[in-house]
Amino acid sequence: MGKETNFEENMKQLEQIAKELETGDLDLDTSVKKFEEGMKISKECSDILEKAEKKITMLINDNGELKEENFVQEEE
Amino acid sequence: MKYDPVSVTDLNKYIKEKIANDEALNNVLVKGEISNFKNHYTGHLYFTLKDENSLIKCIMFKSSAVNLKFMPKDGMKVLVFGTVSVFERDGVYQIYCKAMQEDGMGSLYTAYEELKAKLDKEGLFKVEHKKKIPVMPKCIGVLTSNTGSVIRDIINVSTRRNPNVYIKLLPVPVQGEGAAIKIVDAIKTMNDKKLADVIIVARGGGSLEDLWPFNEEIVARAIYESELPVISAVGHETDFTIADFVADLRAPTPSAAAELAVPNISDVMLKLNSYNNRYKLALKKKIEVMKLRYEKCMNSRVFKEPLQKIQEKYILIDMQIKSIQNSITNLYKDKKNYAINMIAKLDALSPLKTLTRGYSIVGLNGKVIKSVKQLQKDDEVDIRFYDGTAKAKLI
């Protein structure tokens, strides 16, 4: 769950960086630093999305223990 | 004082925005009696909702009206769910109804109303208790039946939005005796083991009796106490259960719940890309501005003709030297003239000049004789003429 808050904060940070860069008030050094930071965060975010794996499971109570099994939909 | 009036349009627009920003007015459930009911040929319903003391205009668009399970008529007591907004042209506020139910549907309905009032009073529906639905949940827990269209719809919509979605289904019965307690247990299980980042509690449409588990107090309280955010999607768009009121977010249908829980990954990717582009553009612009500034600097006269300033100074020095020279020459000329003048004067006064006119000077032993008494017989004197000296002897 930590990852997910990260993602949201990262998105906010990306927006913040974009705004800062777009006002053009920063000096060149800071601009370049912000640019690199933004690119890094953006990469992290897309990595999270790309590395996710599709999983559709069903939790089954097996004598008081929860088991996670692949969920296969019944044909109707 | 200067008056600064606003236009009627601006005023109405302002009021409309004020009302639109009010959370409470975005989702209102209002009870009243229908009057002035008009079923317009376009399919939109126009009517007034009133009680003993007051009335409010209502409109229900065709898109919502088609879901009605009954045809409203004047005098009917109803519950209306919708949004209060301003019709700017006429400057009137009205309820834009999304759903409507007949009021007074017997004991189940009374029980529903009583429980709702009780929980509302306790503050279970308060906005400040509503948890935020995570933007990018890693895992979505779904509590519903493992058969039927609900789970299928949720899986379809979810995978369409995020091909790599992670869904955990915890199957529960969604109607009948004992369903409520199973739903409660499932919510607790999800919470105890933090099995997901967000929970969807879903059920398809049905009668008030069918939906009843979701109107039970234990379910409402379990949802309220859930630390994981809960999205409710029970019945059709027109059905409002207690679970819907207490959930952190109400979805009109199970598919809509999936849309609310699962971010559209292509949108997110697009957004990420747009940031990358914005950064690149901003940096490029920054560099262009810097370059322009540099070029402007290099184009300034100092850099273009660095010797110019020095040359200007040289000219000044030359001018100074010339002026000094001039003053020296002038001084010399003045002095020379003065000298010439003086010499002329001196010349005029010189005794030698007098001699040219025929006078002569008599000297004796180098002394000028001014008086005859100075002379004696046989003195040898010198007589000086303008052009020479002659000796003479006195007799």
Side-chain angles (χ1 to χ4, degrees):
Chain A
M1 289 216 296
K3 270 266 165 69
E4 155 260 305
T5 41
N6 244 340
F7 198 93
E8 201 173 340
E9 272 164 21
N10 282 348
M11 289 305 269
K12 271 187 203 154
Q13 227 176 325
L14 288 175
E15 181 63 39
Q16 178 65 28
I17 289 171
K19 277 185 189 154
E20 280 174 14
L21 276 175
E22 280 164 358
T23 57
D25 293 339
L26 303 173
D27 60 56
L28 191 60
D29 271 2
T30 320
S31 290
V32 172
K33 267 185 205 134
K34 287 273 172 195
F35 174 84
E36 284 168 348
E37 192 190 341
M39 287 308 227
K40 194 176 145 242
I41 296 171
S42 155
K43 174 91 177 29
E44 278 169 19
C45 285
S46 44
D47 279 356
I48 290 175
L49 299 183
E50 278 159 9
K51 279 178 191 159
E53 251 178 88
K54 178 178 175 177
K55 257 198 269 181
I56 294 172
T57 64
M58 181 157 75
L59 300 170
I60 295 161
N61 196 332
D62 183 24
N63 288 328
E65 227 176 284
L66 270 188
K67 274 191 177 171
E68 191 173 356
E69 287 180 2
N70 272 336
F71 176 63
V72 187
Q73 265 176 272
E74 294 165 22
E75 295 293 329
E76 277 183 44
Chain B
M1 182 183 161
K2 196 167 170 272
Y3 294 101
D4 192 10
V6 296
S7 68
V8 174
T9 307
D10 285 347
L11 179 62
N12 277 341
K13 203 174 272 174
Y14 180 76
I15 293 172
K16 183 173 184 160
E17 269 172 33
K18 276 270 161 190
I19 289 180
N21 287 334
D22 189 328
E23 283 280 346
L25 292 177
N26 278 329
N27 287 302
V28 288
L29 188 67
V30 190
K31 178 166 86 165
E33 190 185 311
I34 293 177
S35 65
N36 268 326
F37 180 78
K38 279 189 196 79
N39 186 356
H40 199 255
Y41 69 88
T42 52
H44 308 324
L45 311 179
Y46 297 90
F47 56 96
T48 308
L49 208 58
K50 64 170 187 179
D51 59 19
E52 297 84 358
N53 304 315
S54 196
L55 54 83
I56 185 167
K57 280 189 153 194
C58 298
I59 176 168
M60 188 171 210
F61 289 117
K62 188 182 177 184
S63 54
S64 300
V66 291
N67 292 323
L68 280 180
K69 291 171 186 156
F70 62 100
M71 182 43 74
K73 55 177 188 270
D74 282 346
M76 200 179 253
K77 287 194 164 62
V78 289
L79 284 175
V80 152
F81 177 79
T83 302
V84 178
S85 184
V86 172
F87 182 43
E88 280 183 66
R89 194 196 71 189
D90 293 354
V92 293
Y93 64 88
Q94 49 194 359
I95 303 175
Y96 290 80
C97 307
K98 292 172 191 154
M100 184 163 27
Q101 262 181 18
E102 278 185 273
D103 201 352
M105 278 171 66
S107 60
L108 267 188
Y109 205 84
T110 317
Y112 168 90
E113 278 293 289
E114 277 172 7
L115 179 60
K116 196 186 138 216
K118 178 181 153 193
L119 299 182
D120 193 11
K121 208 174 158 194
E122 270 187 54
L124 264 68
F125 306 157
K126 279 195 175 159
V127 179
E128 53 262 40
H129 287 301
K130 307 247 180 243
K131 287 174 280 295
K132 218 174 146 281
I133 309 301
V135 173
M136 186 63 60
K138 263 172 63 187
C139 178
I140 293 143
V142 181
L143 310 187
T144 191
S145 166
N146 59 341
T147 57
S149 63
V150 171
I151 185 64
R152 192 179 63 218
D153 288 350
I154 290 177
I155 290 172
N156 285 346
V157 173
S158 298
T159 43
R160 194 185 67 221
R161 291 174 68 79
N162 180 2
N164 298 329
V165 73
Y166 184 9
I167 293 175
K168 273 182 197 160
L169 167 67
L170 184 47
V172 289
V174 290
Q175 70 185 67
E177 279 295 308
I181 188 74
K182 291 260 172 59
I183 295 167
V184 171
D185 285 346
I187 293 172
K188 284 186 178 154
T189 305
M190 293 305 280
N191 268 283
D192 287 348
K193 301 192 171 131
K194 296 277 177 286
L195 293 170
D197 301 316
V198 58
I199 300 175
I200 296 174
V201 179
R203 192 209 186 284
S207 68
L208 188 58
E209 289 82 0
D210 288 341
L211 304 184
W212 198 249
F214 300 92
N215 284 324
E216 287 200 34
E217 187 168 352
I218 48 167
V219 172
R221 292 200 184 277
I223 292 175
Y224 179 74
E225 280 156 19
S226 171
E227 284 172 38
L228 305 175
V230 175
I231 300 175
S232 73
V234 180
H236 292 302
E237 199 163 353
T238 46
D239 300 317
F240 276 83
T241 62
I242 304 279
D244 288 326
F245 290 112
V246 76
D248 298 301
L249 188 64
R250 178 208 178 236
T253 61
S255 302
E259 280 184 20
L260 293 168
V262 181
N264 194 336
I265 291 301
S266 57
D267 284 353
V268 178
M269 280 300 201
L270 222 70
K271 204 164 179 197
L272 283 173
N273 276 336
S274 85
Y275 281 130
N276 289 356
N277 286 336
R278 276 169 78 183
Y279 295 164
K280 280 177 196 160
L281 261 171
L283 197 67
K284 208 174 145 195
K285 208 174 139 198
K286 178 93 212 169
I287 288 166
E288 267 166 22
V289 168
M290 301 292 274
K291 205 172 146 194
L292 239 108
R293 265 173 64 188
Y294 167 77
E295 275 168 6
K296 206 176 156 199
C297 247
M298 292 317 282
N299 274 334
S300 78
R301 288 167 65 121
V302 184
F303 285 108
K304 253 183 140 180
E305 293 175 56
L307 290 179
Q308 200 193 21
K309 276 268 167 199
I310 293 167
Q311 279 160 351
E312 276 170 13
K313 296 289 181 201
Y314 267 131
I315 292 171
L316 268 180
I317 289 170
D318 285 352
M319 277 162 73
Q320 296 280 9
I321 288 172
K322 192 135 198 159
S323 126
I324 289 166
Q325 278 175 341
N326 278 344
S327 32
I328 290 170
T329 317
N330 283 343
L331 196 66
Y332 173 76
K333 263 187 200 159
D334 286 353
K335 294 288 179 199
K336 192 177 169 186
N337 282 340
Y338 181 72
I340 289 169
N341 221 347
M342 282 298 144
I343 288 165
K345 266 188 185 167
L346 200 63
D347 204 33
L349 289 173
S350 168
L352 296 174
K353 200 87 175 174
T354 316
L355 296 183
T356 60
R357 294 209 302 271
Y359 297 92
S360 43
I361 300 162
V362 177
L364 180 61
N365 299 329
K367 277 184 185 167
V368 173
I369 299 303
K370 291 177 186 168
S371 164
V372 77
K373 287 172 191 160
Q374 285 174 278
L375 293 175
Q376 290 167 3
K377 197 180 176 235
D378 293 329
D379 278 349
E380 277 186 17
V381 293
D382 301 313
I383 302 166
R384 188 161 175 200
F385 299 91
Y386 85 96
D387 52 352
T389 308
K391 282 198 181 283
K393 197 167 181 179
L394 288 175
I395 45 173

